[in-house]
Every structure is written in structure tokens, then in C-alpha cells.
């Protein structure tokens, strides 16, 4: 805590513009009605939203300039993802950004030239890193890869692969010759019926188990331009950051819904927001929301200034630990304070609660991160 | 304006937000850090007060007066106050940087808090030229110590309900009544006093705000013993006390507005407070260091997962509170509740501090049952005392529950109860 630079937030004009633009976009394009339409569409994503995201250049933000992208750091995505979270706008943006980062960190020049421009032109990409058992640490995959005669043969299953159905390529972690490796699998290489749509709490999400049994790809698909373990560690940090940002936004959205209810719902002769029991609990949520934003933008600043592994790890784990608990708690109270209506499918509060519970499970829950933080902070 | 809350409506606050270079700030803080390392006083033989509310003995008072004066003379106190009255005329962020470094190095407090944080900014803001010349520099040097006369036995959070009266009597004000929880009351040279005028107007519409010399005849000060067993607060009785007409500050019967105004200086209005190193919070690093020496159930406290979990929670909260100070300087990141960070400052830090101190006692295991001066107590029982004292800040200056009401109504726009 002694380093005051660890508690400084930088926020560029560029980020400010992205925040304004994305807030406007998410508000206009992701009202509760559109969110419910997306839910009803089951397996599909909203193509027009993704096309607009690509057109605004957001899919291309992390792609280096040399490969036709904007070459920005991950903190540029934070305001966008926060706005999306606030309005429950779901898109393959985070999936694509995480895949992009793995390519940038671990791909060779030729591999980057092959896939990064595709991202810029609107291809969805995703990462396939989680496995049955649900370990949040990504550096020791169990999915096996064997290489012979220039062919890599995969064996195993990945779970929780977001947006797999839309993805033009997936980046898969595997054990190759006893070392963690990253393999790019284009969708043409997947076998038939290898995707199973997972039924997840947050119905706006598209999430799959993917079987890589007997999938064979050329050995040139194995990323060989950087340290894979470091790339996976960095990916954990970015995942923690982006999902924290999305949750901070969602927390703000839930709070707005709650405040609106407390000021409009009347009982015992006036708006129920005049009762202290509700006021004080709502102020606790407000303070959680403010803390979430500061931790998220603080972590964005830290990770973008590359101060070394420990500082980044502390910052993003703190953000994920806080937002995971705080977002669920805010939604839990929002449901409760809506009374009987809050218990219904019709009430929009459930959309936030389901999002919160989904998000806390992705890239590590609060207790997991606090457990990881203890040795970093207390020794 | 609400009559039962003690914070001003945020729409009336014009906080001074001056753009200043972060690098200049870091450099200034580094320079001050270097000065502190050479000049901070060593620990005296007697226990020092942890907050400005704990000054209970003459030796504590003398020690803290000398220390404050030396910080001022080195140029590090009141740096955001105007040069003509003894300050340095810098942006308020520079004073904040000093406060943070003092907390970080855990040096003794700037104890003249009512002068530095309330009376001083108020006099600079709306005082007469005579008052500025007479009082400001002596607040910084600690030649004049100030206390505050707001609360009464029958009016704490419900401040507008006070009964002490200050009415015109010829060229003077005549004061009768009593005040309670008066920090530094037995050492103070002056008091900022809120009292009913003689308008007959109800509650907050009829108050006068006076600067009262404590040596005035008819003032009696009695010390109050706190639950820690120590002294620190006083009760002050006024029995036909006469003070000159020009002791009034602000408009006659405009005392409530003046009182509200004093609460805006925390946000940097009118040059802000000359120091907030009042000891109402500490850095967690001190507590973690103590925890490394604590034993819990026969083993190191920091090997207990549940204790570690609670500690990590508090560290995350501390990080967020520190980051707030930087985030609020980016107006684009201040919405949708732009006043939330400033208006929740007291609530966040005082509640955090209370919980930190309580955990610091629990993690001592069986020894957590010991108290001040027991030879076996960790750090002489300082954490136990710290926890008991932490309530001074969660109750004083508007208790946490009132703070929550204010935030609900002013920041979130919830209806009044």
C-alpha cells in the first residue's frame, strides 16, 4: 500500500471518448427489450450489434498497428466493457479480445500476419482454456497434444468456451511434450457435433463445451513466438480485468434499477425509499459500486503501465475479488427490495442477478482471489 | 436545506479543483518524505495520542504543539492557504500529498484539527481582515489551539436542536448553556460556537456562529473520562459569558449556513483544510506488521486462513479508498454519482478503521484480552485502545448512520424519511 503510484489512475482523452461512445451505444442498442430478444434467440448472437462493434473499431483495438489494428493497450477496452455491462449488452468482444492478446503475446510474426487481420475485419475468435474440474489457473492444461510428421493431434475436452459457435478460430491450451502450448484451431478443423451448447445461468451468454478428440491440425498452428506460460498468466490478468469492468458496469445498472424502484414504488403512504432499512443497504451498494470503479480503472492503469507481475496480479485480483462479491450482493438486494415482483421472471432484476452469478464464476470468484492475494499482500 | 443533516447540499459546494501535474505532486511528496525521515520526532517515553481527540495530558499537548510548529516552520503545513496569512498558496492537492505521507510514515498527528480543518478555512473564507490577521498564522504555529462547540447533551446528530443561547447585550453577546464532547476543550484558546439567537425562530433558522475566547469569564471546562479510561473530551459550561460583538462570523441568525459551510472545506473549498493528518486513520501496513508478531491459537496469526481472508478484504477496501482520490480528479470517471466519493469520505474511512482495529485485537488470540500497560500485551495494548477509540470517529462529526441517510438522500436522490 505504500506505493502511491499503485493508487494513481490515468485516464486518457481517448478512453474518455470511448467511454462516452460506448455508453451511448450500449444504452441505445441494449434496452431490456433487446436483451430479452437476445435471450429468446437462444443459440444465436445479435449480428448487427457485432457488426457495429467491428465498424467502430473496438474489435481491432488490441491488434498492433503493424497488423492493421489500433495498437492500444487493454485499458482502452475497460470503458467499453464497463458500458456494455451496465446495459447487459452481450457480444463476443471479450472473447475476441482475449484471443487477440494470446496471438499478440505468443504468436510468431507469420502467425500474427495470418490471424490478426481477420480479427480486424470482423472475425469472431475465442479462447478454449477451461477444463472439467474448473481450475481457474490456466497454466497447466490437461488436454493432450501430440506432434508427429508435422501434424498435431489433440485429445480432450474444453468447457466454458464462450462464443465458440461464432468463432472463426479458437485458441486452445494443451500439454505438448510436457510443456503448455497454445494451438490455433480454425473452425473447419473441428469435428462434427463437437460443440455442445451449455445451459448457463446468464441467458444472454453463449457458452459451449468443445470436444477436441481426434482433432488434427498442422504443426504450424502451434503458437511459437513467445513464452506460453507468461502469455497465459497475462491472459488471466486481462480476463480478471475485463470481467471486473463488465461487472462494475452491471453493478451500476442494478443500482440504477434499484434506486428507480425505491423512488417510484409506494407503500404505507409514500415511496418506500424513505425507509432507513432500505436506504442504508442501498448506500452500501453505492459504496461498493464506487469501489468497484476505482479498483477496475486502477487495475487498468496498472496493467497498462506494465509495472511487473506482482503489481498487476494484485491489482486485477483485487478488482475481481471485489466486483464478484459486490455485484452479486447488489443484485441479491435488488431482488429482495422489489418484493414479490422481484421474484418473477418478468422483473429485470433477475437479468442482473443471473449475469452477476455467471460473472463471478468466470476467471475466479471472490474467495479464490482473496486466497491468492493473501501471500502476495501479507508476507 | 435539510434541517436534520449536517452536510451541505452538494449543489451549493464549489470545490476548488485545480489542475496540477501528477509528477509535480510526486516530486513534492518525495521532498517532504525526505524531510520527514530526518526530522520526524522519535517516540517519547509516554504514550502519544492516536487521534486529535485523545490529547489528555500536558506532556502530550506540549509534544504535539512543538511538532506541529516544526512542520509549519519547515513549510509543510497550510501549504494551500494564502501566502499573506502564513500559507504557501499551492493547490490543495499538495496538502493532501503531505497528509498521505504523514500517514504513511506514521508520524505524530497535526493535533490542532479544529483550527486547521474547520475554523481556519472558515475564517479565510468569510472572516474579516482583522480575523484573518489575528488567527490564521497562530493556528498553523499551534500558538492558538481551537475547539468546537456544536454538540450538546440534548443535541448530537440533531444539531439544530441546540439549547445554548447567544443573545445581544449592548456591545456584547451574552452566552448561556453548555456544550459536550469538546475535543481539546481544556487546552483550547478559542472555540467555534453554535448557539441559538434571540429571534424566537425555530431550530436552524435562528442560530448564531461565534468565535469565542476560552479565557472569557464564566466559562467552566470539565474533563470527561472515555471508555478507554483516559481523558480527551470535555464538557464546557457557559454562565453569563460576555464576548465582544465582532466575535460573530457570518450573518446574525445565519449560523446554520456558516456551520454547513465549514463542512465543505474537506472538499477543498476556499483553500481546503491545512491538514487532515488527524490520526483518525492508519495505514494497514502497521497492522500487518503487528500481525506478524501475533500468535493465534498457538501459531502465527498470519497462517490462519480466515484471518488472512478478513485482512485481504480490508486491504482491498483500503486500495479502493486510496484510488478514489485519483479517480475523482478525472471528471469523465466521476459519474453517475459525481459527489459520492467526497461525501462518503468520512463514512468509508472511519468504518474501515474501526473494523481494522477490531480485527487487530481478535488476531492476537488469547492475548487480545489484555489491555494498556499489561507487560504481555502486544504493542502495549495499543490495538485494544485503538479499537475503543475508533468509535470517536464513527460517532463524532455525524455518526455513520446519519452519513448513510445523507448519502441516500443527496447522492442517490432517495426521499426523506
Amino acid at each position: 500500500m505504500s506505493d502511491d503510484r499503485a493508487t494513481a489512475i490515468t485516464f486518457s482523452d481517448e478512453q474518455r471518448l470511448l467511454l462516452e461512445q460506448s455508453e451511448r451505444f450500449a444504452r441505445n442498442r441494449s434496452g431490456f427489450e433487446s436483451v430479452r430478444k437476445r435471450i429468446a434467440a437462444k443459440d444465436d448472437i445479435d449480428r448487427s450489434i457485432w457488426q457495429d462493434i467491428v465498424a467502430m473499431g473496438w474489435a481491432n483495438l488490441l491488434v498492433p498497428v503493424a497488423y492493421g489494428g489500433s495498437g492500444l493497450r487493454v485499458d482502452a477496452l475497460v470503458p467499453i466493457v464497463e458500458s456494455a455491462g451496465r446495459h447487459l449488452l452481450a457480444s463476443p468482444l471479450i472473447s475476441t479480445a482475449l484471443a487477440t492478446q494470446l496471438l499478440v503475446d505468443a504468436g510468431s510474426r507469420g502467425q500474427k500476419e495470418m490471424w490478426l487481420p481477420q480479427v480486424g475485419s470482423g472475425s469472431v475468435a475465442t479462447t478454449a482454456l477451461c477444463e472439467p474440474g474448473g481450475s481457474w489457473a490456466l497454466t497447466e492444461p490437461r488436454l493432450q497434444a501430440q506432434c508427429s510428421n508435422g501434424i498435431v493431434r489433440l485429445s480432450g475436452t474444453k468447457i466454458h468456451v464462450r462464443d465458440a459457435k461464432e468463432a472463426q478460430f479458437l485458441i486452445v491450451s494443451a500439454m505438448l511434450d510436457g510443456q503448455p502450448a497454445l494451438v490455433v484451431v480454425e473452425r473447419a478443423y473441428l469435428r462434427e457435433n463437437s460443440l455442445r451448447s451449455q445451459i448457463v445461468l446468464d441467458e444472454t451468454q453463449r457458452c459451449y463445451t468443445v470436444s477436441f478428440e481426434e482433432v488434427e491440425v498442422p504443426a504450424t498452428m502451434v503458437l511459437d513466438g513467445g513464452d506460453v506460460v507468461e502469455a497465459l498468466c497475462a491472459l488471466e490478468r486481462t480476463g480478471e480485468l475485463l470481467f471486473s469492468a463488465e461487472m462494475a458496469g452491471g453493478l451500476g445498472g442494478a443500482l440504477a434499477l434499484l434506486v428507480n424502484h425505491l423512488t417510484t414504488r409506494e407503500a404505507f403512504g409514500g415511496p418506500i425509499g424513505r425507509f432507513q432499512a432500505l436506504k442504508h443497504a442501498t448506500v452500501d451498494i453505492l459504496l461498493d459500486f464506487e469501489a468497484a470503479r476505482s479498483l477496475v480503472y486502477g487495475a487498468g492503469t496498472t496493467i497498462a503501465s506494465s509495472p511487473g507481475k506482482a503489481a498487476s496480479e494484485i491489482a486485477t485480483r483485487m478488482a475481481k475479488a471485489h466486483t464478484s462479491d459486490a455485484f452479486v450482493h447488489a443484485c441479491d438486494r435488488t431482488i429482495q427490495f422489489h418484493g414479490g415482483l422481484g421474484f418473477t421472471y418478468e422483473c429485470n432484476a433477475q437479468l442482473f442477478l443471473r449475469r452477476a452469478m455467471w460473472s463471478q464464476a468466470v476467471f475466479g470468484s471472490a474467495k479464490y482471489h482473496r486466497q491468492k492475494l493473501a501471500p502476495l499482500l501479507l508476507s | 436545506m435539510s434541517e436534520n443533516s449536517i452536510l451541505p447540499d452538494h449543489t451549493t459546494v464549489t470545490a476548488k479543483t485545480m489542475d496540477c501535474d501528477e509528477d509535480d505532486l510526486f516530486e513534492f511528496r518525495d521532498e517532504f518524505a525526505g524531510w520527514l525521515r530526518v526530522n520526524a520526532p522519535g517516540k517519547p517515553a509516554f504514550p502519544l495520542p492516536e487521534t486529535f481527540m485523545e490529547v489528555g495530558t500536558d506532556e502530550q499537548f506540549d509534544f504535539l504543539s512543538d511538532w506541529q510548529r516544526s512542520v509549519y516552520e519547515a513549510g509543510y503545513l497550510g501549504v494551500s492557504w494564502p501566502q499573506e496569512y502564513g500559507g504557501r498558496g499551492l493547490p490543495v492537492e499538495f496538502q493532501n500529498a503531505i497528509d498521505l505521507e504523514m500517514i504513511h510514515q506514521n508520524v505524530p498527528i497535526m493535533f490542532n484539527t479544529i483550527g486547521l480543518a474547520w475554523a481556519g478555512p472558515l475564517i479565510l473564507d468569510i472572516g474579516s481582515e482583522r480575523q484573518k490577521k489575528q488567527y490564521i498564522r497562530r493556528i498553523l504555529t499551534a500558538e492558538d489551539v481551537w475547539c468546537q462547540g456544536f454538540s450538546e447533551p440534548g443535541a448530537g446528530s440533531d444539531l439544530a436542536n441546540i439549547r445554548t443561547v447567544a443573545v445581544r447585550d449592548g456591545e456584547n453577546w451574552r452566552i448561556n448553556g453548555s456544550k459536550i464532547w469538546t475535543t481539546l476543550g481544556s487546552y483550547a484558546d478559542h472555540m467555534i460556537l453554535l448557539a441559538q439567537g434571540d429571534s424566537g425562530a425555530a431550530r436552524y433558522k435562528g442560530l448564531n456562529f461565534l468565535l469565542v475566547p476560552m479565557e472569557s469569564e464564566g466559562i467552566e471546562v470539565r474533563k470527561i473520562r472515555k471508555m478507554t479510561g483516559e481523558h480527551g473530551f470535555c464538557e464546557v459550561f457557559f454562565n453569563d459569558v460576555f464576548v465582544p460583538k465582532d466575535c460573530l462570523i457570518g450573518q446574525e441568525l445565519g449560523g446554520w449556513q456558516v456551520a454547513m459551510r465549514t463542512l465543505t472545506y474537506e472538499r477543498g473549498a476556499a483553500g481546503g483544510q491545512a491538514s487532515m493528518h488527524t490520526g483518525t486513520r492508519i495505514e494497514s501496513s502497521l497492522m500487518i506488521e503487528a500481525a506478524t508478531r501475533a500468535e493465534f491459537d498457538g501459531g502465527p496469526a498470519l497462517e490462519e486462513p480466515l484471518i488472512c481472508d478478513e485482512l485481504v478484504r480490508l486491504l482491498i477496501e483500503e486500495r479502493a479508498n486510496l484510488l478514489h482520490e485519483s479517480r475523482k480528479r478525472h471528471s469523465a470517471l466521476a459519474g453517475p454519482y459525481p459527489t459520492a466519493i467526497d461525501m462518503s469520505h468520512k463514512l468509508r474511512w472511519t468504518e474501515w478503521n474501526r473494523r481494522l482495529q477490531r480485527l487487530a485485537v481478535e488476531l492476537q488470540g488469547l492475548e487480545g484480552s489484555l489491555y494498556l500497560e499489561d507487560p504481555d500485551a502486544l504493542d502495549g495494548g495499543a490495538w485494544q485502545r485503538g479499537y475503543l477509540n475508533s468509535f470517536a470517529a464513527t460517532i463524532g462529526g455525524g455518526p455513520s448512520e446519519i452519513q448513510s441517510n445523507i448519502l441516500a438522500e443527496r447522492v442517490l436522490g432517495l426521499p426523506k424519511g
Side-chain angles (χ1 to χ4, degrees):
Chain A
M1 285 297 108
S2 56
D3 180 6
D4 46 343
R5 285 180 194 266
T7 58
I9 290 171
T10 58
F11 195 66
S12 64
D13 284 346
E14 201 157 41
Q15 281 173 294
R16 182 174 56 76
L17 292 173
L18 286 170
L19 180 63
E20 289 166 6
Q21 185 190 25
S22 59
E23 169 60 27
R24 221 171 22 245
F25 177 75
R27 194 174 52 232
N28 292 339
R29 298 296 295 279
S30 188
F32 288 120
E33 258 181 58
S34 336
V35 172
R36 286 180 183 271
K37 253 191 221 161
R38 180 185 163 87
I39 288 171
K42 297 284 180 205
D43 217 17
D44 294 326
I45 68 162
D46 187 332
R47 284 260 131 223
S48 74
I49 285 184
W50 177 242
Q51 279 160 10
D52 287 345
I53 285 175
V54 172
M56 287 184 287
W58 297 348
N60 214 10
L61 283 184
L62 300 188
V63 175
V65 176
Y67 303 97
S70 309
L72 294 180
R73 300 164 311 188
V74 67
D75 59 337
L77 274 175
V78 168
I80 297 175
V81 171
E82 190 201 11
S83 302
R86 185 175 174 84
H87 298 279
L88 296 169
L89 181 141
S91 80
L93 180 62
I94 294 181
S95 305
T96 305
L98 294 177
T100 303
Q101 180 175 310
L102 282 182
L103 274 174
V104 170
D105 286 354
S108 67
R109 198 182 161 78
Q111 290 167 331
K112 291 178 198 175
E113 274 168 1
M114 178 149 25
W115 288 298
L116 287 176
Q118 289 188 32
V119 169
S121 60
S123 289
V124 171
T126 192
T127 53
L129 308 172
C130 298
E131 300 186 342
S135 171
W136 283 304
L138 302 178
T139 51
E140 288 174 19
R142 283 176 300 180
L143 187 140
Q144 289 299 313
Q146 280 180 326
C147 186
S148 62
N149 302 324
I151 297 290
V152 171
R153 188 188 172 99
L154 302 177
S155 164
T157 297
K158 293 289 183 178
I159 63 168
H160 197 89
V161 184
R162 296 174 297 277
D163 304 303
K165 189 177 155 215
E166 302 295 327
Q168 295 304 303
F169 61 90
L170 304 86
I171 301 185
V172 187
S173 59
M175 271 302 184
L176 178 65
D177 299 331
Q179 298 289 329
L182 291 167
V183 184
V184 181
V185 177
E186 294 183 338
R187 53 172 310 111
Y189 288 90
L190 288 179
R191 294 185 169 269
E192 217 175 309
N193 299 324
S194 59
L195 261 57
R196 179 179 76 78
S197 178
Q198 291 186 295
I199 300 163
V200 292
L201 257 172
D202 177 3
E203 297 178 289
T204 68
Q205 302 293 337
R206 303 293 173 250
C207 201
Y208 302 82
T209 63
V210 182
S211 166
F212 291 94
E213 262 344 300
E214 295 180 17
V215 166
E216 292 180 341
V217 296
T220 51
M221 303 283 204
V222 178
L223 297 185
D224 60 356
D227 184 310
V228 168
V229 171
E230 269 185 32
L232 284 169
C233 284
L235 190 89
E236 287 180 20
R237 303 292 85 78
T238 299
E240 287 149 13
L241 174 66
L242 294 181
F243 278 93
S244 298
E246 193 180 57
M247 284 195 286
L251 177 42
L255 176 58
L257 190 70
L258 173 57
V259 168
N260 180 59
H261 180 69
L262 296 179
T263 47
T264 53
R265 167 77 186 186
E266 303 211 339
F268 305 104
I272 59 173
R274 71 193 193 281
F275 295 119
Q276 281 193 351
L278 305 184
K279 266 185 187 157
H280 289 189
T282 306
V283 166
D284 289 344
I285 295 170
L286 168 71
L287 299 186
D288 274 351
F289 167 64
E290 296 296 335
R293 292 197 90 203
S294 288
L295 288 165
V296 163
Y297 282 95
T301 301
T302 301
I303 207 171
S305 62
S306 339
K309 275 187 189 164
S312 294
E313 189 174 345
I314 288 171
T316 59
R317 286 192 194 279
M318 278 188 168
K320 187 65 170 63
H322 174 76
T323 52
S324 295
D325 266 353
F327 188 17
V328 172
H329 174 73
C331 298
D332 174 300
R333 294 296 82 193
T334 300
I335 300 276
Q336 175 71 21
F337 297 169
H338 272 73
L341 176 66
F343 191 61
T344 64
Y345 192 80
E346 183 196 344
C347 179
N348 291 322
Q350 60 97 351
L351 300 173
F352 286 104
L353 180 63
R354 283 168 174 252
R355 169 64 65 83
M357 296 186 71
W358 144 276
S359 308
Q360 75 167 348
V362 183
F363 281 100
S365 73
K367 287 186 178 65
Y368 167 77
H369 284 299
R370 288 200 299 267
Q371 193 184 39
K372 294 285 175 190
L373 282 164
L376 293 170
L377 296 170
L378 301 178
S379 54
Chain B
M1 188 161 289
S2 164
E3 63 173 282
N4 66 351
S5 61
I6 61 156
L7 277 178
D9 190 323
H10 60 77
T11 54
T12 65
V13 176
T14 49
K16 175 171 150 187
T17 49
M18 207 180 286
D19 283 330
C20 60
D21 195 295
E22 296 256 338
D23 286 336
D24 286 350
L25 269 181
F26 286 130
E27 197 178 306
F28 181 74
R29 181 163 167 178
D30 280 349
E31 171 201 303
F32 177 59
W35 182 86
L36 269 189
R37 277 190 284 272
V38 177
N39 293 287
K43 269 201 172 16
F46 51 89
L48 272 179
E50 293 174 303
T51 77
F52 75 102
M53 291 171 274
E54 329 300 341
V55 182
T57 67
D58 292 353
E59 53 189 3
Q60 291 176 334
F61 178 80
D62 292 340
F63 181 97
L64 290 173
S65 298
D66 291 346
W67 165 231
Q68 184 186 314
R69 189 174 311 114
S70 72
V71 173
Y72 172 67
E73 283 169 358
Y76 295 114
L77 191 61
V79 300
S80 60
W81 286 5
Q83 277 174 313
E84 58 209 287
Y85 306 115
R88 286 180 65 182
L90 296 170
V92 72
E93 283 81 3
F94 285 75
Q95 183 64 55
N96 297 343
I98 286 176
D99 292 344
L100 287 173
E101 188 59 32
M102 285 198 183
I103 292 166
H104 177 52
Q105 293 202 26
N106 193 28
V107 298
I109 55 174
M110 296 292 101
F111 80 109
N112 194 10
T113 300
I114 300 300
L116 296 167
W118 298 58
L122 177 66
I123 292 165
L124 282 171
D125 189 14
I126 63 169
S128 66
E129 191 61 24
R130 176 194 68 76
Q131 288 167 333
K132 291 178 191 174
K133 288 221 165 76
Q134 182 180 344
Y135 296 127
I136 294 301
R137 196 174 171 282
R138 293 173 65 86
I139 287 174
L140 294 170
T141 60
E143 287 165 283
D144 282 353
V145 170
W146 285 70
C147 65
Q148 181 204 58
F150 281 15
S151 290
E152 297 182 5
S157 297
D158 186 9
L159 190 56
N161 198 34
I162 55 174
R163 292 280 175 266
T164 297
V165 291
V167 298
R168 278 174 177 279
D169 190 326
E171 288 302 293
N172 294 306
W173 297 98
R174 192 175 76 232
I175 308 168
N176 279 290
S178 70
K179 293 288 174 181
I180 199 166
W181 318 128
T182 315
T183 296
L184 287 164
S186 57
Y187 292 105
D189 302 286
H190 300 279
M191 171 188 273
I192 47 175
L193 173 77
L194 194 61
Q196 292 287 349
D198 52 1
S199 67
R203 292 169 62 83
Y204 61 98
K205 287 178 186 146
L207 303 178
N208 287 322
F209 201 111
L210 302 173
L211 310 178
V212 176
M214 291 294 282
E215 60 179 20
S216 312
E217 207 170 313
I219 293 182
E220 188 200 338
V221 181
R222 279 185 220 155
K223 291 185 174 184
I224 296 171
R225 198 167 181 213
K226 302 179 300 179
M227 68 167 156
T228 62
E230 303 160 299
H231 293 285
F233 294 111
C234 298
E235 190 163 8
V236 180
F237 299 90
F238 299 84
N239 190 9
D240 275 338
V241 174
F242 289 89
V243 299
K245 207 168 66 176
D246 66 356
C247 286
L248 182 79
I249 189 162
Q251 300 289 317
E252 186 173 356
L253 304 182
W256 184 253
Q257 284 70 24
V258 178
M260 293 301 101
R261 213 176 170 88
T262 58
L263 295 152
T264 66
Y265 305 124
E266 195 174 325
R267 271 161 277 167
Q273 300 174 327
S275 174
M276 278 307 281
H277 180 43
T278 58
T280 45
R281 82 177 162 96
I282 58 165
E283 265 195 5
S284 58
S285 53
L286 288 173
M287 194 271 227
I288 293 169
E289 190 281 320
T292 61
R293 293 179 279 113
E295 287 207 297
F296 185 93
D297 189 29
L302 287 182
E303 288 179 13
E304 282 295 321
L306 293 180
I307 284 175
C308 290
D309 191 68
E310 258 200 74
L311 253 171
V312 170
R313 280 171 189 270
L314 288 161
L315 295 178
I316 295 172
E317 213 175 313
E318 181 186 45
R319 170 78 70 103
N321 281 339
L322 293 169
L323 282 165
H324 282 336
E325 298 305 311
S326 179
R327 178 161 68 88
K328 75 181 190 188
R329 292 204 286 274
H330 301 287
S331 55
L333 284 179
Y337 309 105
T339 54
I341 289 177
D342 278 331
M343 291 188 68
S344 63
H345 187 275
K346 175 190 185 276
L347 176 63
R348 286 183 283 107
W349 278 118
T350 60
E351 287 292 328
W352 175 83
N353 183 59
R354 182 179 58 76
R355 283 181 281 124
L356 183 82
Q357 305 263 12
R358 192 171 74 186
L359 180 60
V361 177
E362 193 197 348
L363 62 75
Q364 296 170 40
L366 185 56
E367 286 194 352
S369 63
L370 301 176
Y371 194 49
L372 288 182
E373 292 172 39
D374 186 280
D376 294 330
L378 185 76
D379 294 334
W383 298 98
Q384 283 76 331
R385 179 175 76 157
Y387 171 55
L388 297 184
N389 270 330
S390 68
F391 290 92
T394 58
I395 296 171
S400 300
E401 292 68 28
I402 299 285
Q403 301 289 334
S404 287
N405 286 350
I406 293 167
L407 286 162
E409 292 163 17
R410 304 277 171 80
V411 176
L412 293 174
L414 296 183
K416 293 188 191 308

